[in-house]
Structure formats: structure tokens, C-alpha cells
Amino acid sequence: MDVLDLARWQFGITTVYHFILVPLTIGLSTLVAIMQTAWVRTGKEKYLRLTKFYGKLLLINFALGIATGIVQEFQFGMNWSEYSRFVGDVFGAPLAIEALAAFFLESVFLGLWIFGWDRLPKKVHLMTVWAFAIGSFLSAYFIIAANSWMQHPVGAVYNPETGRAEMTDIWAVLTNNTTLVAFPHVIATAFLVAGTFVAGIAVYWMVRLARQNKEHQDLPMYRTAARFGAVVMLLSGLGVIVTGDLQAKLMFEQQPIKMAAAEGLIETPEGCAPFSILTVGDLSGSNPESVNHILEVPCLLSYMATGSWDGEVKGLADLQEIYAERYGETDLNGNEIEYRPNLMVTYWSFRLMIGLAAFSAALCVAIFWFTRKGRVTDQPWMKKLAIIALPMPFAAASFGWIFTEMGRQPFVVAPNPTGYDSVMLMTMFGVSEATTVWHVALSLTAFTLVYGVLAVFWYRLMHRYAVEGAPEAHYDEPTDDDDSADKPMSFAY
């Protein structure tokens, strides 16, 4: 393996690990804020206990997300310094805004929320968790804006004298149509992850307590949390479907080769293009005759790509010729450029992204049915379903990002033929010229080991506090006569 391969592996490993944590932070911050709002409005203790319970899990996840996210910034300037040199003026702007505005907003108000339980008035304290949630949304938006520019560059020009892309319109970068479609899809996914997380843990506890004692005092609390998570899953699932459909059609316009790769479509079909459920054969494209679509839905790919059941979707063989004619047939060493992404990865990651969400749908339906009319359930299979479903949207979200990034290859900044085709960069030209195989191999090994250790800590902490259940909670709102102002602030969790 050369430097490019190792650098891609390192960035892929660290990014996927980091993104496992991100959707839960985005979605759960809002759900915890809603729980605390319910407590402030109703005064019911169960909402306070749920806020403290899921709030602790949120803090663990957020802390690990920060630790793993820091590495991403360093990689841009080390393994991918040529990429940073080329796009730094554009790509760095939304990332800088994210760090200076959104992330500091998150951090400041999260600190006030953690330490302000017995120091701030109830409604003021509630505002801090909502500010934290808003900061999470803003942080996601600016990062997605940066990534969307890589998928569909706008608002920039290529300066041949400096060999760099230079920003001409930051508003165009921040309102990129790719961003405006990708952001709601990511947010809907985050709520699906968080809703499944809340519901899965609540169902686990509801079944566990119901099997011990059908009259247990905590059963209504966990039933409330389970149904709340189910409502979030239902609404966010619909959001994922609608925004995913919009994103697929926009992706087909901007990166048609990615859509063909998602289907493993080698040859352009006569008539409409089907969507396969299962395909076997050589997905590398070197032997198209070996590819066999065993199960397929007629014309579905045409609709997903074009909005028409008989729309044309070009195959990879034709698109390879089009891309080669437009962007060049060979690289600097005279080797033929392969514009087709890794089909095995894109094909299966696309299907896993969609298919794994079915577990959340199954859990959602089961919760609504078995907790209707004030009921609770003690069915052991329900607890097993909750445990199985809980990690599935995490995996689905990760496979979605794998598809998004791998489907863009061999470009790290994809070409945009509508006036921005010169502002593009192939992945092989983005890697640093100063790093060696040993440099990247050592850092790859170190990061993988460190991330492995962090994964163990993350799981053990999340598992430990999840199986402890919702803590007993008591709240005394501070008053002007309270002498606690002289006491040091304490960690409320």
C-alpha cells in the first residue's frame, strides 16, 4: 500500500468512528431539552428523572465526540496538506465559523447546563440546554456546508497562478443547494438515531420492571419515554424518506456516476432502470456479463434518480467514457484513470444505509401497539428487539456517509460542470507530498489503537449508566436568600 491508500484508510477509520457519536449528540440534545421543558411546564418528577438519566448519557457521548473530532482537523494539514493548500480558502471558512461560533456556543451553554442545576433559576437553566441544542444544529450545518462544497463546488474560482481555489461568494457556499438538501437529511437521521436510543433503553427497562412487578412505580415513566422515542422515530423516519428522495435526485443531477455505482449498473438499460435488492457477480466492472441482479424492483431506480418511472439512468461503462472525455483519460504517469467508484462498497453501503433502518421501524410499530391504552409489556422478545434495534440506526448513518464519500471517488472535490468544473481535485493529488508510508502507517496504527480503547470506555460508560436506570431526583430552585452562592459549583451528574 502507498501513502494515498494508507491516508484514505486512516481518514476513513477516524471519520466513521467520530460520526458514530455525532448523530446521537445532535438528536439527543434536543430530546433532552424537550424532556426538561416538560418538567418545567408540568412539574412532574418523571420528566426531571428522564432529563437527568438521558442527560448523563448525552454528556458521555458528547465528550467522546470531542476527543475523536479533534483528530479530523489535524489530518487536513498533515496527511492531506495538498488538499488543504488547494481548498483552504474555501473549505476552511465554514469550518472556522463552526469552531468559533457554533462549537463555542455548545461548549459554553453545556457548561452552564451541567453546573447550573442548583445555581440558575429553572427557566434560565432550561434556556441553556436549548442553546446547547441549537449550537449542535449550527455546528452540523457548517460542517455539512463544507462537505457539500466538496460534493458540488460553488462560489469559488480556480487561480492558475497560485494553483488554488479562491472563494468569491461565501453566501453561495453556505446556501449551496447540496447543503440545503443534505442538512435536513442529516438532522432527520440524527433524530432517528436519538429516538431509537431513547426508546430502546426505555423498552429494556419497561420489560425488565414489568416482569418483576406489574405495579412498579417507574413503569409509567419508562412507558412515557418509550412512546416519546417512538413518536420521534415515526416523524424522523418520514423525514429521512422524504429528504433522502430529494437528495437522491439532486445527487443524480450532480454526480450521475455515484447513482449508477449505488446500483452497480454497468450497462445503460434499455427503457427504465430497476433497483436491485440483491446482486451477485463482478461489481468491479471488468466483467459486466457476470453481474446478475437476483431480486429487483422494476423501474424503481429511474424514479429514485429522475422522478419519472421511465427516466434514463446511464450505466457506468457509458459514464466512464463521458468522464474520461471531459476530465482526461490518463493521469500524470500515463495510467488510465478509473472514474468508477468502488462498486462493492457503494452498492452494499447504499443498501445497508436503507435496510438497517427497518429495525427502528419494527421497534416503533411494536411500541405503539403493545403500549396502547396505557398498557405496559413484559414480553422478553420486546426487550431483545429493543437491544438489537438500538445500534442499527448508528450503523445505517455510518454507511450513509461511507456511500457519500466513497461514491465521490476518485475526486476529493467533485467537478461541477455548471461553471465550476475547474474547481476540482482528484484524491491522488490531495495527499501530502512530505509524508511517507511509515509516517502514515505509524499514525494509522496509533489512532486505531487509541480509538479502540476509547470505544471500550464509551461502551462501558454508556452501558453502566443505562443499566443503572433513571436516578432519583430532587430539585430546589435557588432563591435570593439562598446561601449556596458561596459554595463551589458542583457537577450535577
Side-chain angles (χ1 to χ4, degrees), residues 19 58 72 78 100 209 271 285 306 336 352 393 427 454 457 484:
F19 190 73
L58 169 64
Q72 308 302 104
M78 297 174 72
L100 294 174
L209 295 178
T306 67
E336 182 181 355
L352 289 169
T427 305
L454 289 176
F457 278 103
S484 63

Side-chain angles (χ1 to χ4, degrees), residues 9-163:
W9 270 106
Q10 179 172 308
F11 199 88
I13 291 171
T14 55
T15 301
V16 169
Y17 184 95
H18 174 63
F19 190 73
I20 288 175
L21 308 170
V22 170
L24 183 59
T25 295
I26 296 172
L28 191 57
S29 61
T30 301
L31 300 193
V32 169
I34 292 173
M35 293 174 189
Q36 187 169 339
T37 301
W39 167 62
V40 171
R41 290 182 61 86
T42 66
K44 294 182 179 179
E45 184 181 308
K46 66 176 181 180
Y47 293 119
L48 175 60
R49 294 180 64 192
L50 290 174
T51 300
K52 291 291 188 77
F53 179 42
Y54 288 105
K56 180 181 291 186
L57 300 176
L58 169 64
L59 294 177
I60 296 169
N61 193 76
F62 182 76
L64 268 293
I66 296 300
T68 56
I70 292 174
V71 175
Q72 308 302 104
E73 308 293 337
F74 288 105
Q75 288 187 96
F76 290 129
M78 297 174 72
N79 291 350
W80 300 96
S81 60
E82 289 301 307
Y83 163 79
S84 296
R85 183 191 63 80
F86 181 78
V87 304
D89 289 349
V90 185
F91 184 78
L95 290 186
I97 297 173
E98 186 273 334
L100 294 174
F103 179 69
F104 283 135
L105 179 67
E106 287 181 272
S107 302
V108 169
F109 284 99
L110 179 63
L112 290 171
W113 184 63
I114 293 172
F115 295 104
W117 275 99
D118 57 350
R119 309 300 294 274
L120 296 174
K122 186 183 294 186
K123 292 183 179 180
V124 174
H125 185 256
L126 175 63
M127 292 174 61
T128 63
V129 70
W130 277 111
F132 167 63
I134 292 170
S136 299
F137 276 66
L138 291 175
S139 181
Y141 185 87
F142 291 119
I143 291 173
I144 292 170
N147 181 267
S148 295
W149 188 86
M150 296 165 64
Q151 310 287 343
H152 183 240
V154 295
V157 296
Y158 174 69
N159 187 335
E161 295 182 1
T162 61

Side-chain angles (χ1 to χ4, degrees), residues 171-438:
W171 182 249
V173 174
L174 295 179
T175 58
N176 190 343
N177 58 355
T178 308
T179 304
L180 298 180
V181 172
F183 177 69
H185 186 64
V186 169
I187 295 302
T189 302
F191 279 116
L192 182 62
V193 170
T196 306
F197 183 82
V198 169
I201 295 174
V203 167
Y204 166 84
W205 271 103
M206 179 174 60
V207 174
R208 178 177 173 178
L209 295 178
R211 291 182 66 81
Q212 296 173 1
N213 178 11
K214 278 292 187 69
E215 303 299 325
H216 197 286
Q217 61 180 5
D218 287 346
L219 280 173
M221 177 181 65
Y222 288 116
R223 179 184 177 275
T224 297
R227 290 185 66 85
F228 174 50
V231 170
V232 174
M233 282 191 284
L234 176 62
L235 297 177
S236 60
L238 293 174
V240 168
I241 294 172
V242 173
T243 57
D245 179 64
L246 295 173
Q247 195 171 24
K249 290 174 173 55
L250 185 62
M251 179 183 72
F252 177 69
E253 294 179 12
Q254 297 173 351
Q255 301 179 55
I257 202 165
K258 184 187 288 188
M259 177 59 81
E263 174 57 22
L265 190 66
I266 308 298
E267 303 292 342
T268 302
E270 296 181 3
C272 64
F275 179 82
S276 61
I277 307 300
L278 178 62
T279 294
V280 297
D282 182 11
L283 283 172
S284 68
S286 58
N287 184 15
E289 289 75 18
S290 72
V291 177
N292 182 21
H293 298 290
I294 297 177
L295 298 173
E296 60 183 23
V297 180
C299 301
L300 181 57
L301 184 66
S302 290
Y303 179 80
M304 291 171 64
T306 67
S308 171
W309 292 102
D310 57 357
E312 182 187 49
V313 180
K314 290 187 180 296
L316 290 161
D318 290 339
L319 290 170
Q320 170 70 21
E321 295 181 3
I322 293 172
Y323 273 62
E325 180 181 355
R326 183 178 295 167
Y327 305 113
E329 297 181 1
T330 60
D331 59 21
L332 297 178
N333 297 321
N335 300 317
E336 182 181 355
I337 299 175
E338 177 61 72
Y339 288 100
R340 290 174 292 205
N342 186 312
L343 301 191
M344 183 64 73
V345 174
T346 52
Y347 181 88
W348 286 111
S349 61
F350 189 73
R351 277 146 187 79
L352 289 169
M353 172 187 68
I354 298 172
L356 292 177
F359 289 90
S360 294
L363 179 62
C364 178
V365 171
I367 290 172
F368 278 129
W369 179 255
F370 288 98
T371 63
R372 68 191 188 280
K373 298 181 180 179
R375 301 175 185 175
V376 295
T377 179
D378 60 355
Q379 297 296 322
W381 66 265
M382 187 81 166
K383 184 168 73 172
K384 293 179 180 178
L385 174 61
I387 294 173
I388 294 172
L390 203 153
M392 293 306 174
F394 288 86
S398 296
F399 279 117
W401 273 110
I402 290 172
F403 169 74
T404 298
E405 297 304 294
M406 290 295 289
R408 190 183 62 240
Q409 301 302 318
F411 298 100
V412 66
V413 178
N416 176 8
T418 60
Y420 297 92
D421 54 336
S422 62
V423 185
M424 69 175 194
L425 185 68
M426 301 194 75
T427 305
M428 59 183 168
F429 299 128
V431 70
S432 173
E433 297 178 357
T435 54
T436 66
V437 169
W438 284 108

